[in-house]
């Protein structure tokens, strides 16, 4: 599976959980982006291991950062790069 997707199977239907609306690269000056999945599930989010509801580029140093989600079905993550 690709880093930001997680396959789930619930009864007879099967779906992929996917982080949506997140780009792979942000400038520090970019606006915050809400962290969301392609399904409406109770989701715990972290950015670099710290609880979060948004990716806020201005609060992160330049370099690679990890966004991770946890649901009742498991976890998934993706990396984003912050540039000056």
């Amino acid at each position: 599976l690709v880093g930001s997707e997680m396959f789930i199977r619930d009864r007879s239907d099967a779906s992929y959980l996917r982080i949506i609306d997140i780009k792979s690269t942000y400038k520090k000056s970019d606006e915050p982006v809400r962290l969301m999945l392609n399904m409406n599930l109770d989701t715990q989010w972290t950015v670099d291991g710290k609880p979060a509801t948004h990716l806020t580029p201005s609060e992160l140093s330049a370099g690679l950062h990890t966004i991770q989600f946890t649901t009742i079905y498991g976890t998934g993550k993706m990396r984003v790069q912050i540039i000056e």
Side-chain angles (χ1 to χ4, degrees), residues 40-82:
N40 187 16
L41 296 171
D42 184 25
T43 307
Q44 309 291 311
W45 292 95
T46 63
V47 175
D48 294 335
K50 297 176 185 171
T53 58
H54 290 75
L55 174 69
T56 307
S58 65
E59 295 179 357
L60 299 172
S61 61
L64 290 175
H65 298 274
T66 302
I67 300 169
Q68 183 167 333
F69 67 86
T70 303
T71 72
I72 61 171
Y73 297 105
T75 64
K77 62 184 175 182
M78 72 176 289
R79 305 221 31 196
V80 297
Q81 182 174 14
I82 304 298

Side-chain angles (χ1 to χ4, degrees), residues 1-12:
L1 296 178
V2 177
S4 65
E5 293 184 344
M6 185 183 85
F7 183 73
I8 61 171
R9 183 179 298 276
D10 185 15
R11 298 186 199 144
S12 63

